Amino acid sequence: MARDVYIYDAVRTPRGKGRPGKGALSSVHPQELVAQLLQALQRRGVSDPSAVDDVILGCVSQVGEQGACIARNAVLAAGWPDAVTGSTVNRFCGSGLQAVNFAAMGVASGFQQAVLAGGVESMSRVPMGSDKGEIDGLNPALRAKIQMVPQGISADLIATREGFSRADVDAFALASQQRARLATEEGRFLRSLIDVVDAEGNCLLDRDEHPRADTTAESLAGLRPAFAGMGAYFVAEAGATVDALALRRYPDTGAIDHVHTAGNSSGIVDGAALVLLADASFGERFGLRPRARIRAMATAGAEPVIMLTAPAPASSKALAQASMTAADVDRWEINEAFATVPLETMRRLDLDHDKVNVNGGAIALGHPLGATGAILLGTLLDELEREGLGVGVATLCIGGGMGIATVIERV
């Protein structure tokens, strides 16, 4: 029988703007972002790091400074014992939450007692596309079967099919900014947040850098669609525009309405996060109080051209494992890769926006690809504690038509 898996702590860096040479964290090697989190956890209660069985990190662009198993290198950069191992995983945008779920599996099985899991992405130093890969792996045989399109096109395709207008997605984006501003002003992120410092110990960043507190409905409305030009691009080998390729799978849609902009899509940022998962005996050994336990976890697949519709089935699958329904959940964190993703998930699961992303999301705060899932879980736990609530779900859409979800319950 599986053992209970407890969350004892969750820490993260602030999210810095992913602008080379300009973002506050762009001068920090991604290994060092994780190393500072490891050192913070040591100060916060993991007094003997050698008791940690493994460190699992999600990272999407595993190349250059983020290559060569960044999890192991971060352990070494932190000055932790050589005995502590590391592993790096990639499930696209779900990588950070997948790392947490893998860690929970190890503890639940009894083969591991304590695992640190999370993720990292320095998008200013290792930009998207640095690994020179395509979502279909540049496989002509696969491309002949399934003509996947860029995620922005998929997001606009969902919006078109669901009837979400430009005003709808902009309204959601404005709410994200407003909620993030209030959460920051009220210090709701402080329990998990650490200051990132330079080599001399000077603070580089102590709060999320991406939010735009002055955002208005008018400023959002003035932004140009981000993916219209991409949709009109003619793919010679396929003999069609990118929009037309998407519509081959959905011929009943008509023209794609390009509603997503830089203002209602997730921000490009640098950041890292870690979650401490362990069994009851670990907590007793170090005098740590469990904050929550993992109730269930799941992944789900969806049609890969529309790509971003799997958070709802993944969440339903995880909740069913816990003998719960969406109505049993007090708070949700649904990654705001594009505004249409949480809007579509809320519609499918019949969720009240008052329970979803109450402190804003990636539109305001940014989406450091490999780290976001772990960040969401920590934010979710902090919010459940702040409001005195019990059950939460974190879920993300994933490239290639996948979703991931984790159900936690406070103890």
Side-chain angles (χ1 to χ4, degrees):
M1 184 175 179
R3 294 187 301 176
D4 282 335
V5 182
Y6 296 104
I7 300 174
Y8 285 95
D9 207 351
V11 292
R12 71 171 179 91
T13 69
R15 282 162 279 198
K17 293 179 180 178
R19 301 173 63 189
K22 296 182 179 179
L25 300 184
S26 63
S27 63
V28 184
H29 195 289
Q31 293 176 14
E32 298 298 329
L33 291 176
V34 181
Q36 292 193 30
L37 292 176
L38 290 166
Q39 292 163 346
L41 284 167
Q42 190 171 357
R43 294 190 297 269
R44 289 164 67 127
V46 187
S47 56
D48 180 10
S50 64
V52 174
D53 292 298
D54 203 4
V55 176
I56 308 175
L57 291 182
C59 184
V60 175
S61 297
Q62 295 184 31
V63 66
E65 293 182 342
Q66 293 180 168
C69 191
I70 189 171
R72 172 60 173 173
N73 285 335
V75 168
L76 299 176
W80 276 32
D82 293 347
V84 181
T85 55
S87 178
T88 311
V89 301
N90 181 5
R91 197 191 284 275
F92 299 136
C93 295
S95 299
L97 195 57
Q98 184 62 67
V100 171
N101 290 356
F102 279 153
M105 293 174 197
V107 175
S109 71
F111 290 111
Q112 294 175 308
Q113 186 181 47
V115 182
L116 284 169
V120 61
E121 208 81 36
S122 179
M123 301 179 76
S124 62
R125 298 172 72 100
V126 189
M128 285 188 293
S130 294
D131 58 0
K132 302 188 185 304
E134 296 285 345
I135 199 164
D136 60 9
L138 299 172
N139 179 3
L142 175 59
R143 192 165 290 181
K145 297 175 183 176
I146 304 169
Q147 187 71 57
M148 285 184 269
V149 296
Q151 288 191 9
I153 303 299
S154 298
D156 284 338
L157 176 61
I158 294 169
T160 303
R161 291 181 62 81
E162 293 288 334
F164 298 135
S165 67
R166 172 66 183 271
D168 293 330
V169 293
D170 278 354
F172 186 91
L174 181 60
S176 182
Q177 294 283 358
Q178 292 172 336
R179 292 178 176 193
R181 179 180 63 190
L182 180 62
T184 300
E185 291 172 351
E186 294 187 351
R188 298 184 191 178
F189 300 132
L190 292 179
R191 176 161 187 174
S192 295
L193 206 59
I194 70 158
D195 294 355
V196 175
V197 300
D198 63 17
E200 287 72 43
N202 302 306
C203 182
L204 294 173
L205 190 63
D206 62 0
R207 62 171 54 199
D208 295 305
E209 189 180 24
H210 187 267
R212 295 180 178 272
D214 59 350
T215 299
T216 64
E218 291 73 24
S219 65
L220 287 170
L223 297 174
R224 299 176 61 182
F227 307 107
M230 182 185 295
Y233 178 78
F234 186 79
V235 183
E237 66 182 62
T241 64
V242 175
D243 273 359
L245 292 176
L247 293 172
R248 284 178 182 177
R249 180 63 182 81
Y250 296 92
D252 60 328
T253 302
I256 294 176
D257 186 10
H258 292 284
V259 299
H260 286 93
T261 69
N264 56 43
S265 306
S266 56
I268 294 173
V269 293
D270 305 332
L274 284 173
V275 179
L276 172 59
L277 300 113
D279 62 13
S281 63
F282 181 88
E284 293 167 0
R285 174 181 173 184
F286 289 96
L288 301 175
R289 181 182 64 84
R291 298 172 60 189
R293 66 184 176 113
I294 304 288
R295 285 295 306 272
M297 62 193 80
T299 56
E303 196 282 308
V305 175
I306 208 163
M307 194 179 304
L308 309 175
T309 58
S315 299
S316 296
K317 187 176 177 181
L319 287 166
Q321 292 176 3
S323 300
M324 294 178 179
T325 68
D328 297 313
V329 180
D330 297 305
R331 290 292 178 266
W332 293 78
E333 286 290 332
I334 304 172
N335 189 38
E336 297 174 1
F338 305 91
T340 194
V341 175
L343 285 172
E344 190 267 348
T345 305
M346 288 159 57
R347 175 175 287 178
R348 289 184 67 179
L349 296 178
D350 192 24
L351 305 180
D352 190 325
H353 194 189
D354 290 341
K355 293 185 176 183
V356 176
N357 299 4
V358 298
N359 294 315
I363 289 172
L365 296 160
H367 176 22
L369 306 177
T372 302
I375 291 175
L376 293 185
L377 201 66
T379 299
L380 178 64
L381 177 54
D382 287 346
E383 186 59 25
L384 290 174
E385 290 177 338
R386 187 185 76 85
E387 295 193 64
L389 300 173
V391 177
V393 173
T395 184
L396 301 91
C397 63
I398 303 172
M402 297 184 286
I404 189 168
T406 304
V407 183
I408 64 171
E409 185 175 27
R410 285 182 60 218
V411 297

